Amino acid sequence: MSKTVELQIEKSRNLVEGLRKHLKGNGGGVTNEEIDDMEKAVGELEAANAEVDRLREELTPKVKQMNAVLTRVKEAYADKKKTLKGYYPQEQWADYGVPDKR
């Protein structure tokens, strides 16, 4: 859970609890319906945050795997480009998809 979301949930719960304890009916400019709506929104935030945490747990290993493959591809690209530049004159590099110029 992100610290920002966690902190907001905690602060909102404390506020809802305080409002419920000290407000009778419609006093203080806040209605019971508004408190119920806020409590419902806090619950929705908690559920959404739990879903995001679950997705992050699934995504993290996949991102690491993708980064490892990306590193291999970059290394292979650089190696092949270097080899190609060593064997062919600059005028032919574009034919092989190498736009670099010396």
Side-chain angles (χ1 to χ4, degrees):
M1 183 180 297
S2 88
K3 198 64 173 169
T4 303
V5 174
E6 185 179 312
L7 184 60
Q8 187 61 53
I9 290 171
E10 183 181 336
K11 289 186 332 186
S12 297
R13 278 194 175 149
N14 289 338
L15 178 62
V16 167
E17 185 180 315
L19 289 170
R20 289 217 188 275
K21 280 183 186 176
H22 298 288
L23 289 181
K24 307 290 189 250
N26 293 333
V30 179
T31 66
N32 285 330
E33 184 177 298
E34 289 173 330
I35 296 170
D36 291 342
D37 289 344
M38 183 176 176
E39 191 170 38
K40 181 180 174 189
V42 171
E44 290 172 8
L45 177 60
E46 220 174 2
N49 192 59
E51 176 71 7
V52 167
D53 284 345
R54 185 186 64 75
L55 291 171
R56 277 190 188 123
E57 286 179 17
E58 290 177 22
L59 184 60
T60 298
K62 293 181 187 292
V63 169
K64 286 181 182 178
Q65 178 185 7
M66 183 209 55
N67 286 337
V69 172
L70 176 61
T71 299
R72 285 196 338 249
V73 168
K74 282 178 154 183
E75 288 171 355
Y77 176 84
D79 183 53
K80 302 308 177 260
K81 184 170 86 169
K82 183 179 178 181
T83 302
L84 184 111
K85 285 181 170 186
Y87 279 93
Y88 296 97
Q90 180 180 352
E91 296 77 33
Q92 291 183 319
W93 293 351
D95 295 342
Y96 293 93
V98 179
D100 295 354
K101 299 198 186 259
R102 287 188 188 186

